[in-house]
Amino acid sequence: MLLAGAGGTWRSEVVASAAAFIPVPAGDVEQMSMMAVNPLTAQLLLTDFADLKAGDWMIQSAANSAVGEMIIQLAALRGIKTVNIVRRDSLIPGLKALGGDVVLVDGPDLVERVKAATDGAPIVYAVDSVGGETFSRMIATLTFGATLTSYGVMSSDPSVLNVGAVIFNDIRVRGFWLAKWYETASPADKQAAFGALIPMVIGGQLKIKIDSTYPLEEIKAAVTRAGENGRDGKVLLVPAA
């Protein structure tokens, strides 16, 4: 069973209504244990804010994050083309291998390079978790009537919204916070969201990178590893069999 809640998992026991749990079939327990945050965030970002179709182009920042990698995989499965923005060249090969159509390093000339890399195709949707100048540049890449959904501000810098883009290009800016979705989504909505994800995880079409696993007795080492630079994937706590 998967607890479809917005937190509170750092405890030895949980008492909740049956509606708070999602039944999952036998399969990769480690992958399924991570569905409730990053994969779900990616799924909702792709389904709840824009009517994306096969062949559409979208753009996202922080493409090497866990959510970013989930978006690449989910978009590829649906035939949606992705422009993926990162901070350094070394990340490009891995994201292309994952299915990213275009991977670019952020910079002042991002808008021009996006246009060149996509042959001027309309970018109908954007997902941003960086904020600051990246947010502003992504707005400038979008076509008329497009939407940008913001779900983070990792740069900690304020974002400048070009009101002209809102007025003359009809750009819509939305916000998303997974914790609030858990509070407001109906049991049917949760069942539907997880129902779409579970077959892809079970079938191996959707994977989160795992850096390392630790038994519960080594939780201090696990927390230390989770905070280290150079970590490639999630750090998991695995109870004894």
Side-chain angles (χ1 to χ4, degrees):
M1 301 293 286
L2 179 71
L3 176 61
T9 53
W10 288 93
R11 59 180 89 173
S12 58
E13 293 183 4
V14 175
V15 177
S17 67
F21 294 89
I22 304 292
V24 294
D28 190 329
V29 174
E30 291 182 353
Q31 287 292 324
M32 286 190 288
S33 72
M34 297 182 282
M35 280 195 301
V37 181
N38 297 137
L40 182 62
T41 296
Q43 171 77 356
L44 295 171
L45 286 170
L46 286 178
T47 59
D48 284 19
F49 299 94
D51 182 19
L52 297 172
K53 303 177 180 63
D56 284 345
W57 279 93
M58 65 166 289
I59 186 170
Q60 67 162 333
S61 61
N64 62 303
S65 66
V67 172
E69 291 188 351
M70 290 293 102
I71 286 176
I72 290 173
Q73 295 175 67
L74 288 167
L77 289 170
R78 293 175 52 187
I80 299 164
K81 297 182 179 296
T82 56
V83 177
N84 303 280
I85 309 306
V86 295
R87 292 181 297 174
R88 54 188 184 275
D89 288 323
S90 61
L91 297 169
I92 294 176
L95 294 185
K96 284 192 172 181
L98 196 62
D101 296 284
V102 173
V103 187
L104 300 172
V105 176
D106 197 4
D109 61 343
L110 179 66
V111 177
E112 292 76 15
R113 287 185 288 121
V114 168
K115 183 176 293 187
T118 61
D119 293 325
I123 311 294
V124 300
Y125 185 51
V127 172
D128 178 50
S129 63
V130 174
E133 294 181 356
T134 299
F135 172 95
S136 303
R137 287 193 279 264
M138 290 178 69
I139 287 282
T141 70
L142 298 178
T143 192
F144 181 85
T147 296
L148 182 148
T149 303
S150 177
Y151 72 101
V153 60
M154 290 191 293
S155 70
S156 298
D157 295 328
S159 302
V160 177
L161 175 61
N162 179 356
V163 178
V166 175
I167 297 172
F168 303 114
N169 218 23
D170 195 23
I171 302 299
R172 299 94 189 272
V173 177
R174 299 287 304 276
F176 176 70
W177 184 28
L178 183 63
K180 182 58 67 175
W181 181 86
Y182 272 120
E183 288 180 12
T184 58
S186 69
D189 290 336
K190 295 176 183 178
Q191 289 283 352
F194 283 107
L197 282 173
I198 289 171
M200 291 184 282
V201 174
I202 294 295
Q205 298 168 298
L206 194 62
K207 283 186 175 292
I208 302 179
K209 289 181 181 177
I210 297 175
D211 174 85
S212 51
T213 61
Y214 292 83
L216 292 175
E217 295 77 15
E218 297 180 20
I219 186 171
K220 289 184 179 180
V223 172
T224 298
R225 177 58 184 162
E228 290 177 348
N229 292 327
R231 175 172 54 81
D232 186 23
K234 297 294 184 180
V235 176
L236 301 184
L237 288 170
V238 180

